[in-house]
Amino acid sequence: MSEQTTVQDATATAVAGSVKTSDGVLEAQTQLAGEAAGDRTTPEHLMAAATAACLQQSIGIAASTQDVDASGAQVTAHVVLTTAEEAGYTSHITLEVSGLADDVAERVLEQAQQICPFTKALAGSDLTVKLAA
């Protein structure tokens, strides 16, 4: 078995009405999932931002290993929250990638999804990753 090395870690604490990381980098006023956003952050906002940022960075890593310029790559995340048949909610996440040259986009995106811990963690759930039309 190979030894794993921690590359990065993060700790966040949520209480009613706010969430904050232990290092103070992120602090947001929150509201319940599914409510109109107003001026507060929802879990859907945080999930969209986290998955988009993670895949975009993974595209950069994948592109660099293939000698491809991905400086214009953009990932747009769309999170849809719906009521579940049982208690609670379910979500569908769509990640749309643009800004990669057509001749390399599919292979870079395929490798990026293998690198990205968020797309790997969400594999098998209601996640769609696609190239922009």
Side-chain angles (χ1 to χ4, degrees):
M1 184 188 321
S2 65
E3 186 176 322
Q4 295 181 339
T5 302
T6 299
V7 176
Q8 182 72 26
D9 70 342
T11 302
T13 301
V15 297
S18 69
V19 64
K20 181 180 180 179
T21 57
S22 60
D23 58 9
V25 170
L26 173 70
E27 185 171 355
Q29 299 302 305
T30 59
Q31 62 189 36
L32 292 176
E35 290 184 355
D39 62 350
R40 292 178 167 238
T41 301
T42 65
E44 302 88 87
H45 289 134
L46 296 170
M47 180 62 110
T51 54
C54 189
L55 184 58
Q56 193 281 331
Q57 291 175 7
S58 296
I59 287 169
I61 294 166
S64 71
T65 68
Q66 298 181 36
D67 292 324
V68 170
D69 178 18
S71 59
Q74 178 176 313
V75 178
T76 301
H78 184 74
V79 176
V80 176
L81 193 68
T82 58
T83 55
E85 289 181 21
E86 61 280 347
Y89 302 96
T90 59
S91 63
H92 176 76
I93 302 166
T94 301
L95 300 171
E96 186 172 77
V97 178
S98 60
L100 290 171
D102 291 341
D103 60 331
V104 298
E106 285 189 33
R107 77 171 192 251
V108 169
L109 182 55
E110 182 179 328
Q111 183 181 356
Q113 288 181 80
Q114 294 171 5
I115 295 168
C116 178
F118 282 43
T119 58
K120 290 193 301 186
L122 294 168
S125 65
D126 204 355
L127 170 70
T128 302
V129 180
K130 63 182 182 178
L131 294 168

